[in-house]
Amino acid sequence: MTQINTLVLCMDTPLKSSELARFRGAVNAVISSHNILFHNHNGQYFRYAYPLIQYKCLAGKAAIVAIGEGVVAMEELFAGTDFSIRLGKRTIALQIESIKAEEVKVSQSIVPIVYQLYDWLPFNEANYEHFLSISRMVERVELLERILTGNILSLFKGLDVFIDFPLHIEIMHYVQKAPVAYKEVKLMRFDVSFMANVPLPNYVGLGRHSSVGAGLLIRKNNNIQY
């Protein structure tokens, strides 16, 4: 059994999803140590592992989700004497609205757990072309299930979590949404309802660009709207 710790820092700061990359840059500008976990690169080196600090738009407001070692790194943000950022042309004094800590014990669940995944970006160039070439709905779902399984295993690998049982994913429903542009490249995105035989932490990201809001994971028993 392995435990995953998360910390969700919700701000009283209105934010659009399109501003998340700027929000990440603004937060990094006030981190004096330039800790690579806050941006996954420090100007010289890239960190290609699963992002342990992620920037979200939750209920229309700015939020930061820290996972594993990222929880400890968050102390550097709290240590700053000036808790304000420069977002575009705006100077914003960040005010904490809520802090949510969660401990998830990773073990095989006998009863499947239902999740909702928002704005999931599953495809690289190769599997995008494969998806378009598939005409049968069943085969498309099977491909998405394989990719989602890989995304969850990447989360575990990034946190040094190793499971000794087969990971089982079943997509119950998905909606293909309008493409979203990242650095002028349009990416196909989905909202997905699925079941898994393992507990996963709330509010973490799965798939591409999870560090800036994509692939937001929510357990279906939450009452908060996004």
Side-chain angles (χ1 to χ4, degrees), residues 92-107:
I92 300 173
L94 295 177
Q95 295 184 3
I96 299 174
E97 187 172 76
S98 66
I99 299 177
K100 304 171 186 177
E102 184 178 34
E103 298 177 353
V104 173
K105 294 180 179 179
V106 179
S107 60

Side-chain angles (χ1 to χ4, degrees), residues 129-143:
E129 295 295 334
H130 185 197
F131 182 83
L132 292 180
S133 71
I134 297 172
S135 58
R136 297 181 66 231
M137 180 64 70
V138 171
E139 293 180 6
R140 285 192 166 195
V141 171
E142 289 174 348
L143 174 60

Side-chain angles (χ1 to χ4, degrees), residues 33-83:
S33 70
H34 302 293
N35 189 324
I36 196 170
L37 293 184
F38 282 90
H39 202 291
N40 286 320
H41 73 78
N42 59 8
Q44 293 181 311
Y45 305 102
F46 282 89
R47 181 182 178 275
Y48 292 103
Y50 180 81
L52 300 182
I53 294 179
Q54 303 173 4
Y55 303 84
K56 313 285 184 179
C57 181
L58 301 181
K61 295 182 179 180
I64 301 175
V65 177
I67 307 126
E69 293 179 13
V71 175
V72 178
M74 286 293 288
E75 295 178 1
E76 299 181 35
L77 181 61
F78 291 115
T81 56
D82 183 10
F83 207 49

Side-chain angles (χ1 to χ4, degrees), residues 2-48:
T2 304
Q3 182 171 291
I4 299 177
N5 296 327
T6 60
L7 185 71
V8 181
L9 185 66
C10 298
M11 313 290 186
D12 188 18
T13 304
L15 191 75
K16 299 176 182 178
S17 296
S18 59
E19 296 179 301
L20 281 170
R22 287 184 178 181
F23 177 54
R24 177 177 63 179
V27 170
N28 276 265
V30 300
I31 303 296
S32 59
S33 70
H34 302 293
N35 189 324
I36 196 170
L37 293 184
F38 282 90
H39 202 291
N40 286 320
H41 73 78
N42 59 8
Q44 293 181 311
Y45 305 102
F46 282 89
R47 181 182 178 275
Y48 292 103

Side-chain angles (χ1 to χ4, degrees), residues 111-117 170 172 192-198 202 217-222:
V111 179
I113 303 171
V114 180
Y115 299 92
Q116 183 73 29
L117 190 58
E170 181 179 343
M172 301 179 296
V192 177
S193 296
F194 71 96
M195 294 188 296
N197 64 335
V198 65
N202 255 324
L217 184 72
I218 303 289
R219 284 195 297 269
K220 291 294 289 288
N221 60 348
N222 281 269

